[in-house]
């Protein structure tokens, strides 16, 4: 039996983690021969609810689940963690301005970045899901100077999966036939889901759908899908978000398939003229646990404008939390 891998999950009594934890414990992240220890972080007020989740985890009798740590102290949650899913965040309350939301979450991720820097495994891979995810990831990164910036990313995989699913349905093709969809920018309504390089059954997607549908319907539907789910379900996306978090981390560990790529929000190195130092969603390939931004894609004026709009939003978010960077 392999030694257990330690997986930290924050917001462990929330609705996304309620879908995520059971899949990790079942082996969906690391495979059927890899034991895991779950290290669960919550705020003090949610520890009672977390106890209930832990009871349910025990009641599944997962053979791979070798231990569960629950705590409200990031230094304990992240101690020796090999993977960290940062899902917990403060939601926007009544009367809260966007700037206030940015600030309150920035404070959380500054504390967690420092704790990861101090106690996590030196090769820890950190995925930020809690919103505003890109800027929270930037704060985490800047507060963890001893960790490799390559090992910190934010989640745009749900947006990517939404775009793949919508394109497949439009073409009447199986999801597995879709390749090379890209999400550029921020995990917000300014994101740009780009089909210019996408393939369906190896044929350019934009030869199979009409341009009006792409520009006037598809882009907006992907951008606003989160709100559409809330309107229908009365709650925000949870199982699909957990699935995306699992998929993001699995791809980061095991790599992208030959000929395809995924979308991850990572530290901009200036590729495609995007300001270095922002956490921006790019198309990436992954091999040996390292991502690389896909290079040399042709970008037309329409794409350029949307990519810039999202970049501008991320710059203004960065300015709002400048004191913590
Ligand atoms: P919930 O409100 O159900 O759960 C959040 C949990 O985080 C709560 O139990 C809360 O007590 C906990 N928490 C708050 N502050 C914490 C802290 N400092 N340390 C540890 N735990 C803390 O939200 P849920 O629906 O699970 O969503 C979680 C986050 O994911 C939200 O910020 C949400 O906006 C974000 N999302 C991000 C997505 C993405 O694609 N990047 C998509 C889904 C989701 O909307």
């Amino acid at each position: 039996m392999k030694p257990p891998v330690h997986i930290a999950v924050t917001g462990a009594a929330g609705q996304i983690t309620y879908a995520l934890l059971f899949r990790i414990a079942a082996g969906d992240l690391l495979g059927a021969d890899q034991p895991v220890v779950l290290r669960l972080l919550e705020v003090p007020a949610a520890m009672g609810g977390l106890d209930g989740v832990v009871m349910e985890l025990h009641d599944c009798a997962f053979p791979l689940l070798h231990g569960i740590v629950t705590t409200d102290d990031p230094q304990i949650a992240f101690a020796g963690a090999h993977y960290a899913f940062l899902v917990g965040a403060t939601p926007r309350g009544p009367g809260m301005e966007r700037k206030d939301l940015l600030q309150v979450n920035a404070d959380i991720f500054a504390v967690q970045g420092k704790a990861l820097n101090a106690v996590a495994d030196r090769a820890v891979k950190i995925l930020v899901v809690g919103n505003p995810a890109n800027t929270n990831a930037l704060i985490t990164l800047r507060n963890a100077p001893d960790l490799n910036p390559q090992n910190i990313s934010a989640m745009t995989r749900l947006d990517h999966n939404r775009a793949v699913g919508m394109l497949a349905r439009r073409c009447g093709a199986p999801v597995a036939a879709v390749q090379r969809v890209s999400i550029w920018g921020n995990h917000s309504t300014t994101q740009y889901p780009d089909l210019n390089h996408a393939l369906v059954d190896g044929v350019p997607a934009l030869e199979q759908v009409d341009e009006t549908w792409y520009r006037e319907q598809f882009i907006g539907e992907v951008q606003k899908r989160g709100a559409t789910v809330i309107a229908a379900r009365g709650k925000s996306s949870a199982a699909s978000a957990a699935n995306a978090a699992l998929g993001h981390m699995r791809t980061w560990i095991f790599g992208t398939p030959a000929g395809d790529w995924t979308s991850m929000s990572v530290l901009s190195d200036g590729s495609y003229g995007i300001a270095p130092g922002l956490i921006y969603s790019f198309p990436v390939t992954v091999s040996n646990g390292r991502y690389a931004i896909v290079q040399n894609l042709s970008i037309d004026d329409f794409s350029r404008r949307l990519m810039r709009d999202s970049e501008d939003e991320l710059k203004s978010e960065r300015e709002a939390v400048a004191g913590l960077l």
Side-chain angles (χ1 to χ4, degrees):
M1 198 45 120
K2 297 177 180 175
V5 165
H6 287 246
I7 303 173
V9 183
T10 75
Q15 54 148 6
I16 293 176
T17 48
Y18 192 68
L20 179 64
L21 295 174
F22 294 83
R23 291 190 59 189
I24 295 174
D28 287 0
L29 178 63
L30 297 170
D33 63 345
Q34 178 57 66
V36 295
V37 171
L38 290 174
R39 311 187 66 86
L40 307 180
L41 183 70
E42 257 299 348
V43 294
M47 293 309 285
L50 182 57
D51 286 345
V53 176
V54 170
M55 286 179 217
E56 286 206 70
L57 283 164
H58 286 316
D59 294 348
C60 292
F62 288 118
L64 294 172
L65 185 54
H66 280 212
I68 305 175
V69 176
T70 62
T71 179
D72 59 10
D73 180 353
Q75 301 274 344
I76 296 173
F78 298 140
H82 301 102
Y83 301 100
F85 291 85
L86 306 189
V87 185
T90 299
R92 197 178 199 145
M96 203 186 228
E97 301 276 329
R98 185 172 168 75
K99 202 166 188 293
D100 302 331
L101 181 75
L102 277 161
Q103 188 61 48
V104 73
N105 281 299
D107 291 339
I108 292 173
F109 286 83
V111 169
Q112 295 188 0
K114 287 188 175 73
L116 284 157
N117 194 56
V119 300
D121 184 83
R122 295 301 82 187
V124 61
K125 280 184 161 52
I126 302 165
L127 169 59
V128 178
V129 176
N131 279 320
N134 294 54
T135 296
N136 289 341
L138 178 62
I139 290 165
T140 307
L141 184 147
R142 296 286 279 268
N143 282 278
D146 302 332
L147 300 178
N148 184 347
Q150 254 271 346
N151 287 345
I152 301 173
S153 66
M155 187 167 96
T156 29
R157 181 63 167 266
L158 178 55
D159 310 294
H160 181 97
N161 288 348
R162 286 165 170 166
V164 167
M166 276 182 210
L167 177 60
R169 290 195 297 284
R170 181 73 180 183
C171 294
V175 162
V178 175
Q179 292 175 298
R180 302 190 183 184
V181 165
S182 311
I183 304 292
W184 302 92
N186 197 4
H187 169 67
S188 77
T189 53
T190 68
Q191 69 177 269
Y192 171 41
D194 179 5
L195 295 186
N196 281 287
H197 316 283
L199 304 173
V200 180
D201 276 325
V203 178
L206 292 184
E207 291 176 11
Q208 303 179 63
V209 297
D210 59 275
E211 189 147 335
T212 314
W213 173 81
Y214 167 55
R215 290 194 177 194
E216 292 174 18
Q217 199 174 327
F218 170 83
I219 292 173
E221 281 183 15
V222 176
Q223 289 171 330
K224 297 189 199 86
R225 182 67 159 187
T228 310
V229 170
I230 293 175
R233 210 173 85 85
K235 295 180 194 160
S236 55
S237 304
S240 58
N243 179 67
L246 204 75
H248 177 122
M249 197 66 101
R250 267 188 72 81
T251 301
W252 204 358
I253 298 166
F254 298 110
T256 39
D260 201 2
W261 63 62
T262 189
S263 304
M264 284 171 68
S265 289
V266 298
L267 189 64
S268 172
D269 59 0
S271 293
Y272 298 99
I274 301 303
L278 292 175
I279 300 280
Y280 189 95
S281 184
F282 290 97
V284 299
T285 54
V286 182
S287 79
N288 299 320
R290 292 181 65 80
Y291 68 78
I293 296 170
V294 177
Q295 297 296 325
N296 300 320
L297 295 174
S298 58
I299 307 291
D300 62 14
D301 289 345
F302 176 81
S303 298
R304 176 70 59 199
R305 184 171 57 75
L306 294 180
M307 288 163 67
R308 278 272 145 76
D309 287 350
S310 206
E311 180 190 11
D312 288 345
E313 182 182 50
L314 282 167
K315 284 181 181 166
S316 72
E317 287 187 14
R318 182 169 63 178
E319 273 165 34
V321 298
L324 285 162
L325 297 175

